[in-house]
Amino acid sequence: MMSKKPLEYQIHLSQIAGISLAILIALGISLYHDLAGRQALLDQNIRNVGLLLSQSSEVRKLLHSDPPYVLFGQKLDAVVKQMDYIDVVTICNTDSIRYYHNDKANIGTPFSGGDEGPILNGAPPYVTQAKGSLGMQRRAFYPVLDTDGTIIGFVMAAVLTSSISKLEQDILRSFLLAAVVLIGIGVLLSHLLYLRLKKILLGYGPEDLRRIYIAEKEVLDTLEEGMIAVDREGRLTLINQSARRILGTDQIPAPGTRLTQIYPETKLPKIIRTATPIHNDDLKIHENNILADHIPIIKQGKAIGAISIFRDKTEVTHLAEQLTGTRYMVDALRAFNHEFKNKLHVILGYIETGEIQKVRELILNNSMISSDAVSLVTQKIPLPQLAALLIGKLIRANALGIHLCLQSDCTCTEGQMHLPPDIYVTILGNLLENGIEALDRQDLPVKEIHVGIYIQATGSILSVDDTGAGIPAQILDHIFEQGISTKGEGRGSGMYLIKSLVDRYHGEIEIETEEQVGTSITITFSGGGAQCIE
């Protein structure tokens, strides 16, 4: 199998073929018009000679002379010899007898060819092609009129077709020579153009650039990071396979496609306008958590384009969520261990003092959280990080004398979650911490917190109810503002953060509170509306 020719060879060959074809077509058209023009010029030439002689008084005198007017014949011979492309001149009477012929042997003989009839019968001058005594000829016929207007003969001026063929061959050779010279110049210019192009391309040939492009494209398509580049008008100049996967398009966009046609939310037009980069931009594209860098391409102080680099952090986020769950579980175990050690120290003190009855009472009335509470959490909440958070808060609340319990009808399915797990953890964590701290500061006969978690395909509901003293009216009106809290200065970011997340994911917050009765906070996300606004 023959190896494929390099790209520069194909370009060079295509240029030569194109130049040669253009030259040949141009010369062919020019040759056609030139030959047609020469033919018309020759016809006009023999017409002019025929017209001139037919109107000559000496030609009329020649036709009336007997024998023929010899002196005029000698003068006409000299004139015919000086004419270009006039090979035959014949003057005949009405009987088609030659009174003059530039070949003297034909004088006095009948006219040959048989095409003189129309001119003797009064036809207007015409041009024919016929065979004469000297060969094939292109002939022009003109009548010779006497002073009274009667036809006394005719004049025939002709050029031999052999002379026409020789002229055409000379013209054709000239054109072929011009074609060879022009094609040679075209080949030279093509080579010079290639050398100039190679110089512009920093010494790389077209084949080198093609190989570099293919290699870079393969490298870019193997990257896990998505890359998108646009020009000043926002038209795509680069989009790799990972970027197409992130944006949910399998087909490579056509040249000149605007990025906004396939990704309306892009920030690259803003980057081009402001010429200011944005790093570590947190996005959500088609349910994927994306971290992006948007960088302007600057030339001579102006943005001529921009590039975005996307990193799909969905898997990383999942791993981080697992680690977060592990951290909460470790915190819960530490709390367990701390409370268990405290109980052991108390038991040891009772034993040392011989108060065995109190040891018995302590063991029977152990206030540590029950295994049933932990079991309920693990059964109802399959998300490790969320379950660990609840267990940790159970232990913390129990240590403070607060009864925290999970509603028995809670439902949570990981596959039906509308939000990332860390959003649920952040919202519940802040709500529970607010409730625990509020109850711990107050001297109340009953300290309870009830938690409801309902995550289904139709939506998500998170509720936290406490039996605290309620939220004062002056605080309730500003509870979602940064720095507003009932806990004193330097606090008040929890509810602000919760409100930000709820707004971001199109949720709703409902707060019911009554002084000395308690507070109920319910947060709802609809199944189709919990989408992040970037």
Side-chain angles (χ1 to χ4, degrees), residues 322-352:
Q322 291 181 344
L323 291 175
T324 302
T326 303
R327 178 173 62 81
Y328 283 124
M329 188 63 72
V330 170
D331 291 341
L333 291 175
R334 285 175 178 171
F336 264 124
N337 184 52
H338 180 72
E339 186 176 3
F340 186 69
K341 283 184 177 180
N342 290 338
K343 300 299 183 182
L344 287 179
H345 291 159
V346 173
I347 292 173
L348 179 59
Y350 284 147
I351 293 174
E352 290 293 336

Side-chain angles (χ1 to χ4, degrees), residues 56-122:
S56 172
S57 60
E58 293 189 354
V59 170
R60 287 195 296 274
K61 186 183 296 184
L62 173 67
L63 291 174
H64 284 299
S65 66
D66 188 25
Y69 189 25
V70 178
L71 182 60
F72 174 73
Q74 293 174 349
K75 292 169 59 179
L76 190 54
D77 286 341
V79 173
V80 171
K81 287 181 180 180
Q82 295 178 358
M83 293 181 179
D84 292 332
Y85 295 103
I86 298 295
D87 295 321
V88 180
V89 173
T90 297
I91 301 174
C92 300
N93 63 6
T94 53
D95 296 326
S96 298
I97 300 300
R98 297 178 175 127
Y99 272 54
Y100 174 80
H101 194 287
N102 52 314
D103 183 359
K104 303 308 177 187
N106 290 320
I107 296 177
T109 62
F111 183 82
S112 61
D115 51 347
E116 75 278 11
I119 201 70
L120 292 175
N121 292 324

Side-chain angles (χ1 to χ4, degrees), residues 333-394:
L333 291 175
R334 285 175 178 171
F336 264 124
N337 184 52
H338 180 72
E339 186 176 3
F340 186 69
K341 283 184 177 180
N342 290 338
K343 300 299 183 182
L344 287 179
H345 291 159
V346 173
I347 292 173
L348 179 59
Y350 284 147
I351 293 174
E352 290 293 336
T353 58
E355 299 182 55
I356 303 303
Q357 183 61 33
K358 289 185 177 182
V359 172
R360 185 179 295 108
E361 292 175 358
L362 179 62
I363 294 174
L364 293 176
N365 299 317
N366 179 24
S367 62
M368 291 182 65
I369 64 172
S370 66
S371 59
D372 291 340
V374 175
S375 177
L376 179 62
V377 170
T378 55
Q379 289 176 7
K380 295 291 185 179
I381 310 300
L383 303 178
Q385 58 269 46
L386 194 53
L389 169 70
L390 291 172
I391 293 172
K393 297 300 182 183
L394 281 171

Side-chain angles (χ1 to χ4, degrees), residues 1 34 36-37 140 163 181 187 220 229 241 289 297 314 350 375 390 392 420 423 445 453 471 480 493 507 528 531 533:
M1 183 180 295
D34 192 25
S163 298
V181 172
V187 171
L220 290 175
Q241 188 173 348
N289 297 312
I297 302 173
T314 304
Y350 284 147
S375 177
L390 291 172
I423 302 301
I453 300 174
I471 303 174
F480 297 122
S493 60
Q531 301 294 329
I533 299 176

